[in-house]
Amino acid sequence: MSDTTYPHGYLYGWTAVVAVTTFIAGLLSILEGAGIESDLFILPDIPGGCILLLISALFITAFLRGRSDRPGWISFSYIGGLLLLVFAGCVILIEAGNYLTLVMEGEEADMCTIISSAFVWAAILAVPLYYGVYKILYRSSCRGVSCE
């Protein structure tokens, strides 16, 4: 029988929140890329939206497996959070490069385009989950030994 108790009550539930918001962000990115306008400031990005849908599937799997399998929840949550942070970092670097190019060419540039990607907002929501799961993994790797 596996241990399904969680050190922080909010952490397991936060997985569902991140899964739903990542799914919605991916769906909105795909719809914006397909030409369906919304009032939200989201970049139209069909491939990025598909990636967000896949990452949301990781979080959904983590939540569903977490009911009976705590290590499964930890692994899927950790990988999903790590992927979101990596993709958000890449998007920030790319959009910052685009912004600097526009500024150097003398064209009008908007600073909001750097943070308007759905990856960035999904990663911001995933930071508490990633940090909590990281702390769980860090403590389990230091069993009986001081890791400091």
Side-chain angles (χ1 to χ4, degrees), residues 6 11 32 35 39 44 58 64 85 110 132:
Y6 297 98
L11 208 52
E32 286 279 335
D39 293 335
L58 278 172
L64 294 176
L85 292 175
D110 188 10

Side-chain angles (χ1 to χ4, degrees), residues 105-122:
E105 290 177 351
E107 296 181 24
E108 186 177 332
D110 188 10
M111 195 73 156
C112 289
T113 59
I114 295 175
I115 60 168
S116 65
S117 173
F119 280 110
V120 174
W121 296 105

Side-chain angles (χ1 to χ4, degrees), residues 98-110:
N98 289 340
Y99 176 79
L100 288 174
T101 301
L102 288 174
V103 168
M104 289 191 299
E105 290 177 351
E107 296 181 24
E108 186 177 332
D110 188 10

Side-chain angles (χ1 to χ4, degrees), residues 28-99:
L28 287 175
S29 290
I30 291 172
L31 292 176
E32 286 279 335
I36 299 172
E37 295 291 324
S38 68
D39 293 335
L40 302 173
F41 191 63
I42 293 178
L43 290 178
D45 185 14
I46 292 176
C50 293
I51 292 170
L52 281 168
L53 291 178
L54 289 172
I55 292 173
S56 73
L58 278 172
F59 287 118
I60 291 168
T61 303
F63 184 75
L64 294 176
R65 289 189 77 181
R67 285 188 258 174
S68 61
D69 182 20
R70 181 178 171 189
W73 166 73
I74 290 172
S75 62
F76 279 99
S77 296
Y78 187 74
I79 295 300
L82 186 63
L83 283 173
L84 272 179
L85 292 175
V86 166
F87 278 111
C90 290
V91 165
I92 288 173
L93 289 174
I94 290 168
E95 291 301 324
N98 289 340
Y99 176 79

